[in-house]
Amino acid sequence: MLPVPAKRGKPLVLAWLLACASAAWSIALAQTTPSTVSEAPSASFKPEEVEALVAPIALYPDALLSQVLMASTYPLEVVQAARWVKDHRDQKGQAAVKAVENQTWDVSVKSLVAFPQVLEPMSEKLDWTQKLGDAFLADQKAVLDAVQRLRQRAVQAGNLKSNEQQTVMMEQGPPPAIAIEPAKPEVIYVPVYTPTVVYGGWYYPAYPPYYWPPPPYYYPHPVPHAGFVWGVSIVAVGIMFGRCNWGSSQVNINVNRAVNIDKNFDRGKVGGGDRWQHDASHRQGVAYRDAGSREKYGNGVGGADTRGDFRGRDGAGDRGVGDRGGAGDRVSTSDRGGAGGRDGAFDGIGGGASAQRDIDRGRSSNQSMSTNRGGDFGGGAGARGGGAGGFGGGGRGGGGGRGGGRR
């Protein structure tokens, strides 16, 4: 039996990490691979599809990951917050969070204004954001298990380890889990990485991993190391209020920190043991995907019968709400790591005229953002360059056709 650290959360040395990767983690991985996971009857997503959804964020620091997962359940507020960030470029980090304290958004969304390199792609890739939130609402354990499977693969590939930006730790469990914390407390670096490189390849052709190149505005010198690109540091004192509870497969929150961010935060909406609970009042008319979530949170929010209300409203077909490109640019898979179909953004939006107006404003804002920033997320005029997940080029670029070269 391999020795384990005596103290929970103690940083691992590389040799111990690799030893565990070849022993205990390989056993855990074998026990939890999608081929052997029995999917609950009400689950909306297959395990391999969940892995594709969490691929671009699974290697975020735990606190940031938890807050992204929470915020993804409020996609329209994400759009509103990203629009605010676009209009307030001078507000950064803690100052930005302080500036939005009187907004009506959920505390998780407010916290992300300190991380525009996270918030803006969440707004531009609304179909991904909504699917991620739907998967998280349907089954938190399935999402967190998918994160752990990907982290195990990244360690086994030799691409996830402690460095000057992060500390990789083993939590003893049960079950044992890989935790990622900032190397310096509350100084956060947000990585962008190529899933097909970092995870040692990708095993599900039908569900290629979502991916977007590092936006130049936040990653001015994108020199990848083992598939990673690190942006500038963000001082996040008091901003990080969430954590991934790997032992219980749920997200917990620090209520006092949440109140510091949002003085109107309702302590009564926290479950036992500071367990995060979705607040349907921030859903703003976006329908819930699966019957279980609709029954639990719906309260009059449109259901499956509203699916497609906002698909192709301008006659252009199944367009993503935040997609760039010309009038005929259809949603493609160029922001993912390979081929495979993708639903239109915001399938199943309900809530009437108010939700429709927000969606329309979100589309206009995203298109304007893409134009003004000169291709931050499109990487210029071409398709993403090179092989299995290179960082050259971008997604859909140029004058409105589909971006070339899928990975």
Side-chain angles (χ1 to χ4, degrees), residues 25 34 55 80-81 126 191 219 222 249 257-258 265 269 326 332 367 395:
W25 292 348
Q80 294 162 3
L126 283 175
Y219 299 83
S249 298
R257 286 193 173 191
F265 180 77
K269 292 184 178 179
S332 76
Q367 290 173 340

Side-chain angles (χ1 to χ4, degrees), residues 166-177:
Q166 65 185 10
T167 299
V168 180
M169 302 176 289
M170 170 62 77
E171 294 190 350
Q172 296 181 33

Side-chain angles (χ1 to χ4, degrees), residues 168-241:
V168 180
M169 302 176 289
M170 170 62 77
E171 294 190 350
Q172 296 181 33
I178 303 168
I180 302 174
E181 302 292 344
K184 297 179 180 178
E186 299 192 2
V187 176
I188 308 293
Y189 290 86
V190 181
V192 173
Y193 50 86
T194 313
T196 52
V197 172
V198 169
Y199 300 127
W202 195 258
Y203 307 104
Y204 319 116
Y207 296 100
Y210 284 80
Y211 162 79
W212 39 87
Y217 191 87
Y218 305 113
Y219 299 83
H221 305 292
V223 179
H225 176 69
F228 282 83
V229 172
W230 298 95
V232 298
S233 63
I234 297 174
V235 178
V237 177
I239 297 173
M240 313 315 295
F241 68 94

Side-chain angles (χ1 to χ4, degrees), residues 87-361:
D87 293 336
H88 299 83
R89 293 287 188 192
D90 57 321
Q91 300 282 1
K92 301 181 185 297
Q94 294 168 276
V97 175
K98 180 68 174 177
V100 299
E101 65 179 351
N102 293 323
Q103 297 289 341
T104 58
W105 313 324
D106 184 78
V107 62
S108 61
V109 177
K110 290 181 178 180
S111 72
L112 291 186
V113 299
F115 303 94
Q117 66 269 60
V118 176
L119 185 64
E120 291 184 10
M122 288 181 72
S123 175
E124 293 196 348
K125 308 295 182 183
L126 283 175
D127 60 333
W128 170 77
T129 301
Q130 188 185 10
K131 286 181 181 179
L132 177 66
D134 287 341
F136 188 60
L137 287 175
D139 193 340
Q140 286 191 37
K141 183 178 186 302
V143 171
L144 294 179
D145 284 352
V147 169
Q148 282 298 313
R149 290 195 297 270
L150 292 178
R151 288 184 176 186
Q152 289 162 5
R153 291 177 190 143
V155 169
Q156 290 174 336
N159 295 325
L160 179 59
K161 59 189 72 176
S162 297
N163 55 28
E164 61 181 312
Q165 289 88 15
Q166 65 185 10
T167 299
V168 180
M169 302 176 289
M170 170 62 77
E171 294 190 350
Q172 296 181 33
I178 303 168
I180 302 174
E181 302 292 344
K184 297 179 180 178
E186 299 192 2
V187 176
I188 308 293
Y189 290 86
V190 181
V192 173
Y193 50 86
T194 313
T196 52
V197 172
V198 169
Y199 300 127
W202 195 258
Y203 307 104
Y204 319 116
Y207 296 100
Y210 284 80
Y211 162 79
W212 39 87
Y217 191 87
Y218 305 113
Y219 299 83
H221 305 292
V223 179
H225 176 69
F228 282 83
V229 172
W230 298 95
V232 298
S233 63
I234 297 174
V235 178
V237 177
I239 297 173
M240 313 315 295
F241 68 94
R243 74 180 184 92
C244 296
N245 188 330
W246 302 112
S248 59
S249 298
Q250 65 187 29
V251 164
N252 293 123
I253 66 173
N254 182 315
V255 175
N256 291 330
R257 286 193 173 191
V259 171
N260 286 338
I261 296 172
D262 182 357
K263 61 184 178 182
N264 296 317
F265 180 77
D266 187 352
R267 294 172 179 263
K269 292 184 178 179
V270 179
D274 291 335
R275 177 171 51 86
W276 174 79
Q277 292 190 125
H278 175 69
D279 186 349
S281 68
H282 290 283
R283 188 73 172 180
Q284 296 199 22
V286 180
Y288 293 97
R289 172 176 175 135
D290 64 281
S293 296
R294 287 197 296 272
E295 182 178 351
K296 187 174 182 179
Y297 306 114
N299 296 324
V301 175
D305 57 329
T306 63
R307 186 174 299 278
D309 283 354
F310 293 89
R311 295 179 65 180
R313 293 182 64 254
D314 53 6
D318 292 348
R319 295 183 53 161
V321 175
D323 275 348
R324 296 171 298 280
D329 192 324
R330 293 170 58 88
V331 172
S332 76
T333 59
S334 60
D335 58 334
R336 298 180 62 173
R342 196 172 66 175
D343 293 343
F346 275 75
D347 272 2
I349 292 176
S354 177
Q356 178 175 344
R357 286 193 297 270
D358 280 341
I359 292 295
D360 290 340
R361 286 197 297 269

